[in-house]
C-alpha cells in the first residue's frame, strides 16, 4: 500500500462499488466506443469507474461515466500538480467535479516509465474488479491485471479479433482464466453484490432454547 495518497476532488460515502476499466492508449474506434458505453452503463447502476486517465481506453472510461452523470476516480502516474497528458486537462477538471483524482507522488514528480506501472496496483487495489479492454502483449494494462489477481480481485477481459495486435494481451488473459466479458451482465453474474444490496432475511423471535 502507498504510505500516503494525495487527492483532488472529494470522495463519496457511497464509493464502495468501484470497477476499474483499463486498456491500450491506442485503441480501435470500436474499442473506445465499447469502453465508453460500458462505463456509462456502470455509472447508471451507481458504480464508480476507476482508471488511469491515460489517452485511449482510460479516457473513454472516465468520459463515459461522466456523460452518464456518474462518478469516476483517476489514479495518476505523476503528482497532482502535473496533468498528464496535457490534452486531458479539461477531463481532469471534470473528474474533480464528479469524483476524485489520486496520486502517491509528491509535488513536482514528473511521469516516467517507472511511475505508471507502479500506480497500476492502486487502480486495481481500489476496485472490486478490473476489466481489460484491448491490450497488446506488452501493455501496461496487463500489469494492472496481474495486480488484480494478486490482490484477490475479480478479473474480466473483453475478447478481440485473433489477428489484432492490440487484442493479443486480452485474449491471452482469457486463455489463462480471466472471465470473458461482452456486456455488463457478465459483471453482475460474477459479482451480484454490484446489482444492489443483499438483504438479510428477517426471522421472527426465536423460542427459548436450552
Amino acid at each position: 500500500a502507498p504510505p500516503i495518497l494525495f487527492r483532488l476532488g472529494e470522495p463519496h460515502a457511497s464509493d464502495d462499488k468501484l470497477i476499474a476499466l483499463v486498456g491500450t492508449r491506442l485503441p480501435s474506434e470500436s474499442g473506445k466506443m465499447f469502453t465508453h458505453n460500458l462505463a456509462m452503463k456502470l455509472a447508471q447502476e451507481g458504480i464508480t469507474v476507476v482508471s488511469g486517465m491515460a489517452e485511449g481506453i482510460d479516457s473513454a472510461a472516465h468520459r463515459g461515466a461522466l456523460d452518464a452523470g456518474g462518478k469516476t476516480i483517476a489514479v495518476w502516474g505523476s503528482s497532482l500538480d502535473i496533468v498528464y497528458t496535457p490534452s486531458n486537462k479539461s477531463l481532469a477538471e471534470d473528474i474533480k467535479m464528479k469524483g476524485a483524482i489520486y496520486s502517491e507522488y509528491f509535488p513536482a514528480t514528473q511521469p516516467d516509465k517507472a511511475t505508471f506501472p507502479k500506480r497500476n496496483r492502486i487502480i486495481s487495489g481500489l476496485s472490486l474488479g478490473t476489466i481489460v479492454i484491448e491490450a497488446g502483449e506488452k501493455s501496461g494494462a496487463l500489469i494492472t491485471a496481474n495486480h488484480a489477481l494478486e490482490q484477490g480481485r475479480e478479473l474480466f477481459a473483453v475478447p478481440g479479433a485473433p489477428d489484432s495486435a492490440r487484442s493479443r494481451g486480452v485474449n491471452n488473459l482469457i486463455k489463462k482464466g480471466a472471465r470473458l466479458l461482452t456486456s455488463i451482465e457478465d459483471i453482475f453474474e460474477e459479482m451480484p453484490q454490484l446489482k444492489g444490496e443483499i438483504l438479510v432475511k428477517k426471522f421472527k423471535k426465536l423460542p427459548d432454547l436450552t
Side-chain angles (χ1 to χ4, degrees):
I4 188 170
L5 277 176
F6 299 94
R7 188 189 76 229
L8 290 172
E10 293 296 330
H12 296 265
S14 61
D15 277 346
D16 59 346
K17 297 190 293 186
L18 289 81
I19 292 291
L21 273 66
V22 297
T24 179
R25 296 169 188 258
L26 298 171
S28 64
E29 285 302 314
S30 61
K32 286 172 60 177
M33 184 62 66
F34 181 90
T35 304
H36 183 273
N37 291 341
L38 180 61
M40 286 187 69
K41 291 175 182 177
L42 288 169
Q44 289 165 354
E45 293 287 344
I47 297 168
T48 300
V49 173
V50 183
S51 198
M53 215 188 83
E55 292 181 339
I57 294 298
D58 289 16
S59 296
H62 292 304
R63 184 55 66 190
L66 293 170
D67 288 347
K71 295 173 293 183
T72 187
I73 289 175
V75 184
W76 285 4
S78 64
S79 55
L80 296 182
D81 57 333
I82 300 174
V83 180
Y84 186 86
T85 58
S87 60
N88 272 340
K89 283 186 177 181
S90 62
L91 177 59
E93 291 298 320
D94 291 341
I95 292 173
K96 283 192 293 181
M97 296 296 293
K98 294 290 291 183
I101 302 170
Y102 290 94
S103 173
E104 65 180 314
Y105 298 112
F106 283 84
T109 302
Q110 294 285 343
D112 60 32
K113 292 182 179 179
T115 60
F116 285 110
K118 189 178 178 183
R119 67 90 196 266
N120 289 352
R121 79 195 192 285
I122 302 175
I123 294 175
S124 58
L126 285 171
S127 309
L128 297 173
T130 292
I131 302 168
V132 183
I133 306 166
E134 288 194 342
E137 290 179 302
K138 297 182 179 180
S139 173
L142 301 183
I143 298 175
T144 311
N146 288 331
H147 284 310
L149 293 175
E150 292 169 358
Q151 294 161 345
R153 307 305 199 257
E154 299 293 342
L155 179 62
F156 302 86
V158 178
D163 58 349
S164 172
R166 62 167 61 96
S167 294
R168 288 173 186 162
V170 289
N171 289 343
N172 284 336
L173 287 177
I174 295 169
K175 286 181 182 179
K176 294 177 181 178
R179 175 69 186 265
L180 185 150
L181 185 144
T182 57
S183 74
I184 193 172
E185 295 304 322
D186 294 324
I187 304 172
F188 293 143
E189 285 181 11
E190 192 72 21
M191 307 174 71
Q193 68 271 30
L194 294 176
K195 189 67 174 176
E197 295 183 3
I198 299 175
L199 301 179
V200 178
K201 187 175 181 180
K202 294 181 180 180
F203 294 92
K204 294 180 180 180
K205 184 179 178 180
L206 291 171
D208 292 334
L209 301 175
T210 62

